[in-house]
Amino acid sequence: MGNATLTDMTLLPSVEPPAGDALSGMAATSSGQGGKPPKKKTMKSLYLQFFETAPDGKSRICKLCKKSYCMTTATGNLGKHLNNRHPGYCQLSEGDTAQSTTISSVFSRAKRSQSLPRTRAQAQPQSQVQPQSQVQAQPQTLAKVCPQPKAKPAIDIDHVNWLLLRWLISSSLPPSTLEDSMLIDCCKYLNPPVQLWPKEKAHEIILEVFRSMKEDVKASLQCVSSRLSITLDFWTSYEQIVYLSVKCYWIDEGWALQKVLLDVRRIPYPCTGPEIQQVLMNVLQEFDIDSKILACTHNNSQHAIHACHELRQELESRKLPFCYIPCAARTLKIIIKDGLENVRPLLSKIREFVLETNSNQEMMEDFKHWTEVYQEGSWKLPFDHSSNWGGDYNMLDVVKKAPNAMDNTIKKFEGIFGPRDWVLSSTEKSAVNSLHSYLEPFYKTTTNLCSCKIPTVGLVFFFMDHVIELINVCHDNTRQDWLKKIASDMSETAHNFASQAYNIYTFTAAILDPRIKGELIPETLNSTSNLEDARNQFIRDYNSTFEAVGNGYNTQDTTDGGDAFSFAEEIVRKRRRVSMITAADELSQYLAEPPAPISTDALEWWKGHSSRYPRLSLMARDFLAIQGTSLDPEELFTSKGDSMRKQHYCLPLSSIQATMCVKSWLQSGYQFNFQSTIIDFERLVESATAPDAVGAPEFS
């Protein structure tokens, strides 16, 4: 705080000189010494603003804790009291000891008290200490000496509310958040005139934004020329309400995969197949895309299967092709869950050790030390201890690759805090090591699925076929009964998936993946009859539409009859017609070529070869949009999905549909639309420094 004179103290607002203390006695004595000015007395007296004089005039009382000190106590001791009992006291002024104040105002007052010219303070005798009425008027004099801070620029109140509304939506928070008292206090601290919208108004605006943006999404889907595919996801909220989210996928003319959340709907009780089918059909009809849907990937539940079966019958009655398949990622999650079932108690013990290590810096350093001593690799700390597959595999990894570091860290910890039931026996370690070796290819498979840019049906089937092969090898060759039982359970789940997922539609989608074709497709799916069906569908549905939408060519005569160049154009058109007669050969030629490297981007490959296979590329755009998983694999196998599941669980019925849809639409690139007015948030932020640059809608 720095040193300050008594005169400085009298300049602080609302600070009174202590009555009846030694200072007043000194002033009285000095008046009787022949008019000589009293000897100046300097004190570290800024501490006095935190003490008040007791009624008896013999002690000082701390305003913060009411502890009393003798009037003759040195101010240094008062400062020690404040430092020891009230750290941070310097952020409170004398008038704010009972309530919080802004730090900036405190520092401003302190600077004002010390900014007076030192010569003026020294020239003023002690006997001329100003009375209280003059003390209170002194800050006005200070205002003339010290420059005043610049006033904050005016802030458009609606701009603040729009930005907060975007924050609510992006964070999946309910409108009632705007009535949180701490949020209101923070906004008032930044700008006192700010008035946040009430939750009712915010809710109505979010609903209106939802309706406006929904029309934008609907309009954009009407412009899509290719077939669409959808995925279904279900969850239950804290209100025990079952919800269905429907996402739509397609490949645009630039060969980019597009996806958009269509809607989030409540499934009415009893939440069985008929209710799901009715809700799903309503969503498709509202967006006017029920006649453009080619495939649906569901979440493997029996109710979802029943709903998709009813939807297929409805569409096939209108001569519209449609298929539905299970989610490969969820199937793989069930398979892995079966594999971990026998070691769940061991995983719990390991996770307890990991949790304690993550929260204890000393244990973390100790673990690192022992890994270096035993050369057990380098580890990224803190550990991933989530309850998903990535966290579970990490538990197995610690025991498999750093057993000595783990054991020595546990021993040291037990010596300090007492025994813990974390030490694994040799039998337990052997079981963990065997399971780790068996599940390592599964972990690599899930890692590849999570990192894959576009998990097409062909690529997903390629991985699933590898998983099925691993399970069969383990079942046939292992001598450990418990591992054979695990492989048997896994095998049943895997074969159920294959029986549901393998059909003519997924076969076509797989062979149109240039990395897969016929060589890497599962043997049980790769049949002559499937190939003939795919060829017939190609000739029937895509050869006839080629002239209209295929490669941009047309047969309209646009040349002048007398132009010498027109004859060459006529020859070109004839040759193009000849090539169209051999349209069926496009599929044969495509399949005759070797597959592209597995690291190839399938859509980029087609973008570069669409002119070579103009008709087949139309078919590829439709079928490559079929999803092998009903949701992003990262949401199932890593901690990425944890926050999303929490948001799904916590949002109330009144706001979940609008909040989730608007959030997803913004992420998909749609503009924030309110009653045909686009809200430009970047310009709203700029308006904080240039308030006249942006105009926002006004609301009554």
Side-chain angles (χ1 to χ4, degrees):
M1 299 283 290
N3 295 335
T5 65
L6 177 62
T7 307
D8 292 333
M9 278 299 302
T10 62
L11 297 176
L12 289 173
S14 302
V15 177
E16 299 180 5
D21 62 2
L23 295 177
S24 60
M26 289 173 56
T29 304
S30 64
S31 62
Q33 295 179 356
K36 294 182 180 180
K39 185 178 179 181
K40 178 177 174 293
K41 178 70 174 180
T42 60
M43 296 180 61
K44 296 181 180 179
S45 54
L46 286 179
Y47 304 128
L48 296 178
Q49 63 175 306
F50 297 96
F51 292 84
E52 59 185 358
T53 304
D56 58 6
K58 297 181 181 180
S59 61
R60 292 190 179 95
I61 300 177
C62 177
K63 296 181 181 180
L64 301 176
C65 65
K66 302 304 179 183
K67 182 176 178 60
S68 62
Y69 288 89
C70 178
M71 185 63 71
T72 58
T73 302
T75 54
N77 291 331
L78 301 181
K80 292 180 180 179
H81 166 81
L82 293 172
N83 288 323
N84 295 332
R85 297 288 297 272
H86 311 292
Y89 70 92
C90 59
Q91 298 179 4
L92 294 175
S93 68
E94 184 275 338
D96 296 324
T97 53
Q99 57 184 2
S100 299
T101 185
T102 61
I103 298 176
S104 60
S105 66
V106 175
F107 287 162
S108 175
R109 291 177 182 178
K111 290 179 180 178
R112 290 173 188 171
S113 66
Q114 298 175 20
S115 63
L116 289 177
R118 183 73 60 175
T119 56
R120 177 183 174 185
Q122 294 173 350
Q124 184 178 8
Q126 286 290 78
S127 60
Q128 298 179 8
V129 176
Q130 299 174 357
Q132 180 64 22
S133 60
Q134 296 178 0
V135 172
Q136 294 176 348
Q138 191 63 39
Q140 297 179 0
T141 305
L142 287 177
K144 299 178 182 179
V145 177
C146 301
Q148 295 296 319
K150 295 182 179 180
K152 294 182 179 179
I155 296 178
D156 190 305
I157 304 304
D158 274 342
H159 290 187
V160 175
N161 281 288
W162 279 116
L163 293 171
L164 286 174
L165 197 69
R166 182 182 63 166
W167 167 64
L168 292 183
I169 293 172
S170 63
S171 301
S172 299
L173 298 172
S176 58
T177 307
L178 292 179
E179 295 187 347
D180 184 272
S181 60
M182 287 183 284
L183 175 63
I184 294 174
D185 289 343
C186 290
C187 292
K188 287 187 177 297
Y189 168 76
L190 295 173
N191 197 278
V194 167
Q195 294 293 329
L196 302 188
W197 288 335
K199 63 180 180 181
E200 294 81 10
K201 182 174 181 177
H203 178 65
E204 288 301 321
I205 292 176
I206 292 176
L207 291 180
E208 184 57 41
V209 171
F210 166 72
R211 288 188 286 265
S212 299
M213 295 186 68
K214 185 176 181 179
E215 292 301 316
D216 295 341
V217 174
K218 181 178 178 180
S220 68
L221 291 175
Q222 300 310 307
C223 299
V224 177
S225 59
S226 60
R227 301 295 296 273
L228 309 173
S229 294
I230 58 174
T231 60
L232 308 181
D233 189 26
F234 299 83
W235 71 90
T236 303
S237 72
Y238 76 97
E239 298 171 310
Q240 295 302 300
I241 298 175
V242 179
Y243 290 96
L244 163 66
S245 66
V246 185
K247 284 187 178 180
C248 183
Y249 298 78
W250 71 94
I251 298 173
D252 63 21
E253 295 181 357
W255 288 96
L257 179 65
Q258 304 292 340
K259 62 180 178 180
V260 62
L261 176 65
L262 294 181
D263 212 340
V264 173
R265 292 290 185 89
R266 174 184 179 181
I267 305 297
Y269 182 83
C271 308
T272 56
E275 289 78 25
I276 296 174
Q277 190 270 338
Q278 186 60 52
V279 170
L280 177 57
M281 197 64 186
N282 290 341
V283 172
L284 299 180
Q285 290 175 347
E286 281 190 17
F287 285 87
D288 196 20
I289 59 173
D290 54 302
S291 61
K292 301 175 68 173
I293 298 299
L294 177 62
C296 175
T297 308
H298 55 75
N299 73 330
N300 303 9
S301 68
Q302 290 300 317
H303 292 318
I305 294 174
H306 176 82
C308 290
H309 179 74
E310 294 297 321
L311 179 60
R312 184 177 69 178
Q313 290 185 333
E314 166 70 19
L315 296 178
E316 287 181 347
S317 67
R318 296 154 52 183
K319 307 299 182 182
L320 298 172
F322 177 77
C323 76
Y324 58 92
I325 61 174
C327 173
R330 292 185 183 276
T331 301
L332 191 53
K333 182 179 180 180
I334 295 173
I335 290 174
I336 293 172
K337 181 181 178 182
D338 292 337
L340 296 174
E341 198 62 38
N342 284 9
V343 295
R344 287 292 174 190
L346 300 183
L347 287 177
S348 298
K349 294 172 68 173
I350 304 169
R351 182 169 277 106
E352 284 293 325
F353 163 75
V354 167
L355 287 171
E356 193 64 39
T357 302
N358 286 346
S359 61
N360 190 314
Q361 187 64 35
E362 184 180 353
M363 285 186 66
M364 211 177 292
E365 295 297 330
D366 197 55
F367 181 84
K368 286 183 180 180
H369 166 72
W370 289 115
T371 55
E372 293 174 358
V373 170
Y374 289 101
Q375 297 183 350
E376 293 179 333
S378 58
W379 293 80
K380 182 180 179 181
L381 300 175
F383 294 105
D384 177 12
H385 61 270
S386 55
S387 59
N388 51 57
W389 163 231
D392 286 339
Y393 184 79
N394 196 41
M395 303 298 103
L396 301 177
D397 222 30
V398 172
V399 178
K400 172 75 174 182
K401 299 179 180 178
N404 295 311
M406 180 179 174
D407 288 346
N408 281 278
T409 303
I410 292 174
K411 289 179 181 178
K412 180 178 179 180
F413 184 80
E414 288 182 340
I416 300 174
F417 299 100
R420 296 289 190 274
D421 187 24
W422 298 342
V423 180
L424 302 183
S425 65
S426 57
T427 303
E428 291 174 330
K429 288 182 180 179
S430 176
V432 169
N433 291 337
S434 298
L435 192 61
H436 179 279
S437 300
Y438 174 54
L439 293 179
E440 186 174 7
F442 292 80
Y443 180 74
K444 292 179 178 179
T445 299
T446 57
T447 301
N448 274 269
L449 279 176
C450 293
S451 60
C452 179
K453 181 180 178 181
I454 302 176
T456 62
V457 166
L459 187 64
V460 168
F461 283 6
F462 167 74
F463 283 123
M464 291 300 293
D465 190 48
H466 177 61
V467 166
I468 294 174
E469 183 180 354
L470 289 173
I471 294 172
N472 292 336
V473 169
C474 178
H475 182 270
D476 296 337
N477 298 332
T478 186
R479 296 181 179 179
Q480 302 181 59
D481 292 338
W482 65 274
L483 196 55
K484 185 183 289 290
K485 175 63 168 59
I486 289 175
S488 178
D489 295 339
M490 289 178 164
S491 179
E492 182 179 355
T493 303
H495 285 93
N496 286 338
F497 167 81
S499 64
Q500 297 178 39
Y502 293 174
N503 55 55
I504 178 57
Y505 295 91
T506 54
F507 170 83
T508 304
I511 64 171
L512 289 176
D513 189 326
R515 303 165 295 185
I516 306 300
K517 296 188 176 180
E519 285 82 352
L520 300 181
I521 202 170
E523 292 184 5
T524 54
L525 182 60
N526 193 11
S527 65
T528 304
S529 61
N530 281 341
L531 181 59
E532 286 304 314
D533 289 341
R535 187 184 303 275
N536 292 335
Q537 183 178 9
F538 168 56
I539 296 174
R540 180 183 67 250
D541 296 338
Y542 294 91
N543 186 33
S544 60
T545 61
F546 173 71
E547 286 189 68
V549 298
N551 57 4
Y553 297 150
N554 60 69
T555 58
Q556 182 180 357
D557 191 357
T558 59
T559 60
D560 296 330
D563 192 344
F565 195 67
S566 63
F567 180 67
E569 286 292 333
E570 184 178 349
I571 296 175
V572 171
R573 288 199 299 271
K574 288 181 178 179
R575 291 190 175 182
R576 285 173 181 159
R577 292 194 188 101
V578 171
S579 66
M580 289 174 63
I581 297 174
T582 60
D585 291 337
E586 280 190 19
L587 180 59
S588 300
Q589 182 180 352
Y590 164 79
L591 293 175
E593 296 178 355
I598 202 69
S599 59
T600 302
D601 186 316
L603 300 188
E604 284 294 326
W605 188 94
W606 273 107
K607 184 177 181 180
H609 290 76
S610 58
S611 59
R612 186 180 180 188
Y613 304 110
R615 304 163 186 81
L616 197 61
S617 64
L618 297 179
M619 193 176 194
R621 277 181 60 197
D622 290 348
F623 281 84
L624 290 180
I626 300 176
Q627 298 299 295
T629 61
S630 62
L631 75 170
D632 187 344
E634 277 191 291
E635 296 180 24
L636 282 177
F637 300 123
T638 70
S639 57
K640 177 183 177 181
D642 292 343
S643 60
M644 298 182 63
R645 284 187 286 270
K646 292 176 183 176
Q647 293 170 359
H648 292 172
Y649 182 79
C650 295
L651 280 172
L653 173 64
S654 59
S655 61
I656 189 170
Q657 180 190 41
T659 300
M660 289 190 61
C661 287
V662 172
K663 176 182 178 180
S664 177
W665 295 338
L666 291 174
Q667 292 173 344
S668 298
Y670 291 89
Q671 293 180 308
F672 195 94
N673 185 351
F674 176 77
Q675 296 179 340
S676 301
T677 301
I678 303 301
I679 310 299
D680 189 336
F681 288 105
E682 291 185 2
R683 295 187 62 199
L684 286 183
V685 174
E686 293 173 0
S687 70
T689 55
D692 296 334
V694 180
E698 297 292 336
F699 299 93
S700 57

